[in-house]
Amino acid sequence: MLGVIYISLCILVGKELAGHFLFNLEQERRRERNLNFCWVFWPAAFGAGTLLITWMTYVVSWIAGAVFGKESPLFYGNLLIMVPGVLGLGMLYWGRFRKGRRTSGKDKSSGNHAQEIREAVFFAALFVFLIWIMFYMFHIKGGILYSGFTVYGDYAPHTAMMRSFSMGNNFPTQYPHYGGADVKYHFMFQFLAGNLEYLGIRLDFAYNLVSALSLLGFLMLLYGLAVRITGKCAAGVCSIVLFFFRSAFTFFRFAAEHIAAGDFWTVLKENTAFIGYTTNENWGLWNFNVYLNQRHLAFGLLVVCTALWIYLDWLEAGDRHQEKGLIWMKERLFAKEAWACRDAGRALAVGILIGLTAFWNGAAVIGGLLILMGFALFSDGKLDYALTALAAVVFTVLQTRFFIKESAMSFSFYWGFLAEDKSAAGVVWYLQQMSGIFFVGLIVVAVFLKRRERSILAGFLLPVLFAFCISLTPDINVNHKYIMIAYAFVTIFWAETVIRIWKSGWAGKAAAAVMAVCLTATGIYDFSVILRGNDERHRVAVNMDSNLTKWLTETLDSSDLLLTPEYSMNEVTMSGVMMYCGWPYYAWSAGYDTNYRAAAAVDIYTASDTETVKNLAKQEGITYILFEENMTFEQENCREDVIAEACPLMYTSDDGRIRIYEVPADADEDSREYRD
């Protein structure tokens, strides 16, 4: 019940924020577009309200836990935010009722009631589908948590972070798979899910509900953008279809190979691995699986899409000028009205909104600012864009300085992304191999677009350019998110193209059908792989009623550091404890020095004398050591006899497989240093 109240509070507070600061409601009501504005307004309200309320809850909880040392900081965070929030909204709505006023967020429909009903049915069906697929990938049944094979690797650090809040006291916040240090990975979406579990919503319901609402909200906004840009409702629906099913020639090559081998139908029905011929394409980098394992990406895109909707006003103002060609471009760069502020208040509000998203999904923030930079080139009111960017950067830097002790990112030039051939021709070939006609074909599509549409398309493509030129993390693979961001928005123009060709006679219908197959066939097959690869035979199971989880939760707190094998997702990670070194990829890709800790862990687990165990554990801040029967660490055989002699045994699992030892508090402080 409390969790439902919390989500409702987020939406209603967001409704007030959106109505007063983000949207010009009178302008939206006058807009001559074939769109019911509520499909834009309410998703934006959910995003804005969730950002504000969740950040406020986190800040109060942080003060309660980190400053005043309270054992249950989330109790104070929720109490001091939810109670005033509910009372404040109650007083606001009661005052409006007594005065007979309409609420500020009241929307006016387009007047096309048949269309509104169709849209409502479409989005309701979409929400049901999203809820189903989220639970298909991640659910609890009979006390066992099941996570599909294609997603559990990402859920491992996310669930550990959620549990560090719902079952622990992770203030100041640490990264559970690299405890005892700062937190470099954006975690606020996981905090939201963890807080909802704390408020009484079961973990799978909490995670899946906010994930489905976030993705539904983004898709509603994508639909709204498509209708606004193209003037066609069908383009909105088609954009969502193209969003789910990626473009590539991969399936056709895969089919040809297996037809030649004579096993096509067998492989088609039984294959559970993603197909791909470019680097790491078989990870599922380019298909819908990304939105199933990186749940927080959809929330970030929801916020970005809200900003793009608002700034289309600025871009459309620049397009209304009658100049043509180079003269128009010159006016957009040097004319006074091209720079003068048009609505500084809304620009500041958008910047704050984007900036507050930095620790929800950093890639979405960067991608959104890149698209807005593209919009700014062709828009009036460039100082508004500058104000938005400044506010976003300031809020991002403030969060980064607060949460991260060292540099958050390592900015470097890296040309070519994952293309094996780094030449210009090699990059184009890679794009064609990876996405079929989707990106390369835009050269032809752009010829038939109007000036306004080409301006928008140019902005949408900037994240792709960024992905092929810049590296911010040790793992260049993470740049695929920028391409996915661009891909989601560019679907609008392919949707319009397919619809336009379809309306040009029987030949056009045939051409549009062929184009639609090229744009979706690989994605449709990828989706079938998602279903097969995460069915009941392809899932990781974790006992949610484990005594080990319970003991760790009750015994350890956020100041403790547990040395474990390199665990990914199991009963230990579900306790939310801080691990010295969990599965190394998670921490390494976030920028942590996992090699150092792995070497230290090997020295402790393989030590031949008790003083080495005690002193090195003390030096690294390790308070407990977990030993698993017959374990190895980094392919080195581990010695429990030395650990058992150095540290008292505190816990033995029911099956005797796991034992946990406590590091004595009086270990020598002057142990040797590892780092050369």
Side-chain angles (χ1 to χ4, degrees):
M1 183 64 181
L2 288 177
V4 174
I5 294 174
Y6 186 93
I7 294 175
S8 301
L9 179 64
C10 289
I11 295 173
L12 292 176
V13 168
K15 171 178 174 286
E16 299 302 317
L17 292 174
H20 287 91
F21 300 107
L22 296 179
F23 297 110
N24 184 331
L25 294 181
E26 290 302 320
Q27 176 178 310
E28 296 295 348
R29 290 164 184 162
R30 294 193 302 267
R31 193 183 304 281
E32 295 181 1
R33 291 287 176 186
N34 192 22
L35 173 69
N36 184 358
F37 180 61
C38 74
W39 310 127
V40 174
F41 182 84
W42 285 108
F46 169 72
T50 301
L51 275 175
L52 180 65
I53 295 299
T54 306
W55 267 118
M56 292 172 65
T57 304
Y58 177 84
V59 170
V60 174
S61 301
W62 187 92
I63 294 172
V67 178
F68 293 102
K70 299 296 183 181
E71 292 186 2
S72 300
L74 284 180
F75 170 79
Y76 299 95
N78 287 291
L79 178 69
L80 296 179
I81 298 303
M82 289 179 65
V83 172
V86 171
L87 291 177
L89 284 175
M91 293 173 61
L92 176 66
Y93 291 145
W94 175 249
R96 288 176 178 170
F97 174 77
R98 292 187 62 185
K99 293 179 181 180
R101 296 170 54 192
R102 294 184 177 182
T103 62
S104 62
K106 185 72 175 178
D107 302 309
K108 183 176 180 180
S109 69
S110 64
N112 188 339
H113 298 295
Q115 176 190 314
E116 292 169 15
I117 292 173
R118 288 194 298 268
E119 289 172 336
V121 171
F122 173 69
F123 287 126
L126 183 59
F127 184 60
V128 170
F129 165 73
L130 293 177
I131 286 289
W132 171 77
I133 194 65
M134 296 298 176
F135 275 96
Y136 186 83
M137 310 298 285
F138 181 84
H139 65 271
I140 296 174
K141 183 178 181 180
I144 305 297
L145 173 65
Y146 296 98
S147 298
F149 279 180
T150 73
V151 293
Y152 85 91
D154 282 270
Y155 291 173
H158 297 168
T159 51
M161 183 65 81
M162 293 176 214
R163 278 301 178 88
S164 75
F165 292 114
S166 63
M167 301 184 70
N169 179 356
N170 194 4
F171 302 99
T173 303
Q174 307 168 50
Y175 190 62
H177 277 263
Y178 198 90
D182 55 7
V183 56
K184 302 182 190 299
Y185 191 80
H186 34 235
F187 65 89
M188 284 298 293
F189 189 87
Q190 290 74 31
F191 170 76
L192 170 61
N195 188 41
L196 290 177
E197 184 185 23
Y198 175 82
L199 291 173
I201 300 180
R202 202 173 70 183
L203 179 65
D204 57 337
F205 279 86
Y207 194 33
N208 291 328
L209 178 60
V210 294
S211 299
L213 287 173
S214 298
L215 187 49
L216 176 68
F218 167 62
L219 292 175
M220 284 181 169
L221 283 161
L222 181 66
Y223 172 88
L225 276 180
V227 175
R228 181 173 175 180
I229 292 170
T230 68
K232 302 180 182 71
C233 292
V237 175
C238 189
S239 296
I240 292 176
V241 172
L242 295 179
F243 168 85
F244 281 108
F245 305 122
R246 71 167 177 128
S247 167
F249 293 142
T250 305
F251 174 73
F252 303 108
R253 179 176 172 182
F254 175 81
E257 290 177 352
H258 287 281
I259 289 173
D263 61 352
F264 175 67
W265 293 111
T266 301
V267 172
L268 194 68
K269 292 185 293 184
E270 298 178 358
N271 177 43
T272 58
F274 293 123
I275 57 176
Y277 298 93
T278 61
T279 305
N280 299 334
E281 186 179 355
N282 58 354
W283 291 6
L285 286 180
W286 310 115
N287 62 49
F288 180 57
N289 193 68
V290 170
Y291 293 94
L292 295 174
N293 58 23
Q294 293 284 308
R295 304 283 187 91
H296 49 309
L297 177 58
F299 185 86
L301 290 180
L302 185 158
V303 174
V304 167
C305 213
T306 301
L308 298 184
W309 176 277
I310 293 169
Y311 262 111
L312 276 179
D313 290 343
W314 277 253
L315 190 144
E316 289 168 348
D319 185 64
R320 293 190 190 104
H321 296 276
Q322 300 302 313
E323 303 91 348
K324 297 184 181 299
L326 292 177
I327 297 177
W328 175 79
M329 194 66 227
K330 178 181 177 182
E331 289 296 310
R332 299 287 59 71
L333 292 175
F334 302 110
K336 180 179 179 180
E337 61 183 343
W339 288 89
C341 284
R342 300 183 73 246
D343 193 335
R346 274 210 294 167
L348 181 61
V350 172
I352 294 173
L353 189 72
I354 295 174
L356 288 176
T357 313
F359 269 76
W360 293 72
N361 191 278
V365 170
I366 295 171
L369 289 177
L370 287 167
I371 294 173
L372 286 176
M373 184 173 71
F375 280 17
L377 183 63
F378 307 104
S379 294
D380 282 352
K382 288 180 174 55
L383 287 180
D384 288 340
Y385 284 94
L387 181 60
T388 292
L390 178 62
V393 170
V394 167
F395 273 81
T396 298
V397 170
L398 288 175
Q399 295 164 62
T400 301
R401 294 287 177 84
F402 184 80
F403 290 117
I404 302 177
K405 296 177 182 178
E406 299 176 354
S407 175
M409 297 179 292
S410 178
F411 186 93
S412 62
F413 178 79
Y414 188 98
W415 169 251
F417 184 46
L418 294 175
E420 295 181 2
D421 180 357
K422 304 297 184 182
S423 68
V427 168
V428 172
W429 177 248
Y430 171 78
L431 279 170
Q432 188 272 332
Q433 290 291 297
M434 176 266 288
S435 66
I437 64 174
F438 192 86
F439 286 114
V440 176
L442 289 174
I443 298 173
V444 177
V445 171
V447 173
F448 299 96
L449 298 179
K450 298 177 181 178
R451 182 173 68 185
R452 166 178 167 271
E453 293 173 330
R454 285 197 293 268
S455 300
I456 295 170
L457 177 59
F460 287 167
L461 288 175
L462 279 185
V464 177
L465 179 63
F466 183 88
F468 278 87
C469 294
I470 303 298
S471 175
L472 297 177
T473 68
D475 184 11
I476 192 62
N477 287 284
V478 302
N479 275 20
H480 82 104
K481 295 176 186 175
Y482 303 116
I483 299 175
M484 291 293 287
I485 290 170
Y487 190 104
F489 292 113
V490 173
T491 57
I492 293 172
F493 295 101
W494 278 110
E496 182 184 25
T497 300
V498 171
I499 292 168
R500 182 186 299 161
I501 295 174
W502 178 266
K503 293 181 178 180
S504 59
W506 287 107
K509 286 180 170 57
V514 171
M515 184 178 293
V517 170
C518 291
L519 288 168
T520 59
T522 299
I524 291 171
Y525 184 71
D526 281 342
F527 188 77
S528 72
V529 172
I530 289 173
L531 297 181
R532 286 194 300 274
N534 297 280
D535 62 18
E536 63 276 2
R537 297 173 300 170
H538 301 89
R539 291 171 179 164
V540 172
V542 179
N543 180 10
M544 300 298 282
D545 299 323
S546 163
N547 288 329
L548 172 59
T549 302
K550 182 179 179 181
W551 185 87
L552 288 169
T553 302
E554 294 175 348
T555 306
L556 279 66
D557 59 32
S558 60
S559 64
D560 287 307
L561 194 56
L562 177 65
L563 177 62
T564 67
E566 293 173 323
Y567 284 147
S568 174
M569 184 178 184
N570 62 9
E571 297 168 21
V572 174
T573 68
M574 281 296 161
S575 68
V577 298
M578 298 299 130
M579 295 181 290
Y580 179 71
C581 50
W583 192 255
Y585 176 77
Y586 308 142
W588 170 78
S589 62
Y592 294 99
D593 188 357
T594 54
N595 290 330
Y596 167 69
R597 284 201 174 183
V602 168
D603 283 349
I604 294 172
Y605 272 127
T606 62
S608 58
D609 65 277
T610 59
E611 289 304 309
T612 297
V613 171
K614 290 189 290 186
N615 292 339
L616 298 186
K618 184 68 175 179
Q619 173 187 294
E620 296 303 306
I622 296 168
T623 55
Y624 290 87
I625 300 174
L626 183 149
F627 196 95
E628 188 171 333
E629 194 73 27
N630 299 320
M631 68 172 282
T632 61
F633 196 100
E634 296 284 313
Q635 292 79 50
E636 297 285 342
N637 292 323
C638 302
R639 295 190 57 177
E640 185 179 13
D641 58 328
V642 179
I643 295 174
E645 185 180 351
C647 309
L649 177 65
M650 302 301 293
Y651 174 84
T652 302
S653 62
D654 296 338
D655 58 6
R657 181 175 55 87
I658 290 177
R659 291 168 288 280
I660 301 177
Y661 300 87
E662 183 177 17
V663 177
D666 60 349
D668 183 9
E669 297 281 355
D670 299 321
S671 55
R672 66 179 176 85
E673 294 290 338
Y674 287 98
R675 201 181 301 273
D676 293 328

mmCIF file of all heavy atoms in Angstrom, residues 561-577:
data_model
loop_
_atom_site.group_PDB
_atom_site.id
_atom_site.type_symbol
_atom_site.label_atom_id
_atom_site.label_comp_id
_atom_site.label_asym_id
_atom_site.label_seq_id
_atom_site.Cartn_x
_atom_site.Cartn_y
_atom_site.Cartn_z
ATOM 1 N N LEU A 561 32.982 -5.226 5.164
ATOM 2 C CA LEU A 561 33.416 -5.580 3.818
ATOM 3 C C LEU A 561 33.666 -7.080 3.789
ATOM 4 O O LEU A 561 34.474 -7.594 4.570
ATOM 5 C CB LEU A 561 34.676 -4.809 3.441
ATOM 6 C CG LEU A 561 35.095 -4.783 1.967
ATOM 7 C CD1 LEU A 561 33.970 -4.255 1.091
ATOM 8 C CD2 LEU A 561 36.349 -3.930 1.783
ATOM 9 N N LEU A 562 32.959 -7.776 2.908
ATOM 10 C CA LEU A 562 32.989 -9.231 2.862
ATOM 11 C C LEU A 562 33.830 -9.706 1.685
ATOM 12 O O LEU A 562 33.549 -9.366 0.533
ATOM 13 C CB LEU A 562 31.554 -9.757 2.740
ATOM 14 C CG LEU A 562 31.369 -11.273 2.610
ATOM 15 C CD1 LEU A 562 31.821 -11.988 3.878
ATOM 16 C CD2 LEU A 562 29.908 -11.599 2.309
ATOM 17 N N LEU A 563 34.847 -10.504 1.967
ATOM 18 C CA LEU A 563 35.648 -11.129 0.909
ATOM 19 C C LEU A 563 34.958 -12.420 0.483
ATOM 20 O O LEU A 563 34.681 -13.289 1.311
ATOM 21 C CB LEU A 563 37.061 -11.422 1.415
ATOM 22 C CG LEU A 563 37.985 -12.147 0.426
ATOM 23 C CD1 LEU A 563 38.217 -11.314 -0.829
ATOM 24 C CD2 LEU A 563 39.322 -12.503 1.086
ATOM 25 N N THR A 564 34.671 -12.521 -0.787
ATOM 26 C CA THR A 564 33.952 -13.671 -1.327
ATOM 27 C C THR A 564 34.630 -14.133 -2.611
ATOM 28 O O THR A 564 35.478 -13.429 -3.167
ATOM 29 C CB THR A 564 32.497 -13.296 -1.682
ATOM 30 O OG1 THR A 564 32.518 -12.362 -2.786
ATOM 31 C CG2 THR A 564 31.784 -12.681 -0.503
ATOM 32 N N PRO A 565 34.250 -15.307 -3.106
ATOM 33 C CA PRO A 565 34.594 -15.617 -4.496
ATOM 34 C C PRO A 565 33.972 -14.557 -5.406
ATOM 35 O O PRO A 565 33.157 -13.743 -4.971
ATOM 36 C CB PRO A 565 33.954 -16.996 -4.712
ATOM 37 C CG PRO A 565 33.800 -17.564 -3.339
ATOM 38 C CD PRO A 565 33.541 -16.410 -2.437
ATOM 39 N N GLU A 566 34.331 -14.585 -6.675
ATOM 40 C CA GLU A 566 33.834 -13.564 -7.603
ATOM 41 C C GLU A 566 32.391 -13.885 -7.995
ATOM 42 O O GLU A 566 32.091 -14.357 -9.089
ATOM 43 C CB GLU A 566 34.756 -13.487 -8.818
ATOM 44 C CG GLU A 566 36.127 -12.943 -8.438
ATOM 45 C CD GLU A 566 37.133 -13.000 -9.578
ATOM 46 O OE1 GLU A 566 37.094 -13.980 -10.349
ATOM 47 O OE2 GLU A 566 37.969 -12.078 -9.686
ATOM 48 N N TYR A 567 31.484 -13.579 -7.074
ATOM 49 C CA TYR A 567 30.082 -13.907 -7.246
ATOM 50 C C TYR A 567 29.412 -12.941 -8.214
ATOM 51 O O TYR A 567 29.735 -11.758 -8.277
ATOM 52 C CB TYR A 567 29.345 -13.830 -5.912
ATOM 53 C CG TYR A 567 29.601 -14.997 -4.987
ATOM 54 C CD1 TYR A 567 29.622 -14.816 -3.604
ATOM 55 C CD2 TYR A 567 29.795 -16.284 -5.480
ATOM 56 C CE1 TYR A 567 29.835 -15.877 -2.733
ATOM 57 C CE2 TYR A 567 30.020 -17.353 -4.618
ATOM 58 C CZ TYR A 567 30.030 -17.143 -3.255
ATOM 59 O OH TYR A 567 30.249 -18.204 -2.400
ATOM 60 N N SER A 568 28.435 -13.463 -8.922
ATOM 61 C CA SER A 568 27.618 -12.644 -9.808
ATOM 62 C C SER A 568 26.266 -12.371 -9.164
ATOM 63 O O SER A 568 25.980 -11.266 -8.712
ATOM 64 C CB SER A 568 27.437 -13.333 -11.168
ATOM 65 O OG SER A 568 26.541 -12.626 -11.979
ATOM 66 N N MET A 569 25.415 -13.391 -9.093
ATOM 67 C CA MET A 569 24.073 -13.231 -8.531
ATOM 68 C C MET A 569 23.722 -14.499 -7.767
ATOM 69 O O MET A 569 23.585 -15.570 -8.344
ATOM 70 C CB MET A 569 23.066 -12.972 -9.659
ATOM 71 C CG MET A 569 21.653 -12.689 -9.212
ATOM 72 S SD MET A 569 20.618 -12.336 -10.665
ATOM 73 C CE MET A 569 19.072 -11.923 -9.873
ATOM 74 N N ASN A 570 23.618 -14.392 -6.452
ATOM 75 C CA ASN A 570 23.291 -15.554 -5.635
ATOM 76 C C ASN A 570 22.757 -15.090 -4.279
ATOM 77 O O ASN A 570 22.398 -13.920 -4.110
ATOM 78 C CB ASN A 570 24.509 -16.473 -5.475
ATOM 79 C CG ASN A 570 25.668 -15.796 -4.766
ATOM 80 O OD1 ASN A 570 25.542 -14.692 -4.235
ATOM 81 N ND2 ASN A 570 26.814 -16.457 -4.741
ATOM 82 N N GLU A 571 22.730 -15.990 -3.321
ATOM 83 C CA GLU A 571 22.171 -15.675 -2.009
ATOM 84 C C GLU A 571 22.984 -14.620 -1.271
ATOM 85 O O GLU A 571 22.449 -13.891 -0.434
ATOM 86 C CB GLU A 571 22.091 -16.960 -1.175
ATOM 87 C CG GLU A 571 21.155 -18.006 -1.771
ATOM 88 C CD GLU A 571 21.307 -19.361 -1.116
ATOM 89 O OE1 GLU A 571 21.809 -19.415 0.019
ATOM 90 O OE2 GLU A 571 20.922 -20.366 -1.727
ATOM 91 N N VAL A 572 24.265 -14.539 -1.560
ATOM 92 C CA VAL A 572 25.111 -13.527 -0.917
ATOM 93 C C VAL A 572 24.791 -12.137 -1.463
ATOM 94 O O VAL A 572 24.565 -11.188 -0.706
ATOM 95 C CB VAL A 572 26.605 -13.857 -1.116
ATOM 96 C CG1 VAL A 572 27.477 -12.721 -0.585
ATOM 97 C CG2 VAL A 572 26.954 -15.161 -0.413
ATOM 98 N N THR A 573 24.757 -12.003 -2.772
ATOM 99 C CA THR A 573 24.492 -10.682 -3.357
ATOM 100 C C THR A 573 23.089 -10.197 -3.022
ATOM 101 O O THR A 573 22.845 -8.988 -2.950
ATOM 102 C CB THR A 573 24.668 -10.710 -4.886
ATOM 103 O OG1 THR A 573 23.643 -11.507 -5.491
ATOM 104 C CG2 THR A 573 26.029 -11.265 -5.271
ATOM 105 N N MET A 574 22.150 -11.128 -2.804
ATOM 106 C CA MET A 574 20.777 -10.749 -2.474
ATOM 107 C C MET A 574 20.647 -10.174 -1.063
ATOM 108 O O MET A 574 19.604 -9.641 -0.705
ATOM 109 C CB MET A 574 19.845 -11.946 -2.623
ATOM 110 C CG MET A 574 19.458 -12.223 -4.048
ATOM 111 S SD MET A 574 18.505 -10.870 -4.771
ATOM 112 C CE MET A 574 18.713 -11.236 -6.507
ATOM 113 N N SER A 575 21.699 -10.284 -0.277
ATOM 114 C CA SER A 575 21.661 -9.699 1.068
ATOM 115 C C SER A 575 21.985 -8.217 1.049
ATOM 116 O O SER A 575 21.757 -7.521 2.042
ATOM 117 C CB SER A 575 22.650 -10.427 1.980
ATOM 118 O OG SER A 575 23.990 -10.153 1.574
ATOM 119 N N GLY A 576 22.539 -7.730 -0.083
ATOM 120 C CA GLY A 576 22.884 -6.320 -0.176
ATOM 121 C C GLY A 576 24.152 -5.936 0.555
ATOM 122 O O GLY A 576 24.428 -4.745 0.741
ATOM 123 N N VAL A 577 24.968 -6.926 0.960
ATOM 124 C CA VAL A 577 26.209 -6.620 1.672
ATOM 125 C C VAL A 577 27.245 -6.071 0.698
ATOM 126 O O VAL A 577 27.129 -6.224 -0.515
ATOM 127 C CB VAL A 577 26.772 -7.871 2.384
ATOM 128 C CG1 VAL A 577 25.798 -8.367 3.429
ATOM 129 C CG2 VAL A 577 27.106 -8.965 1.373
#
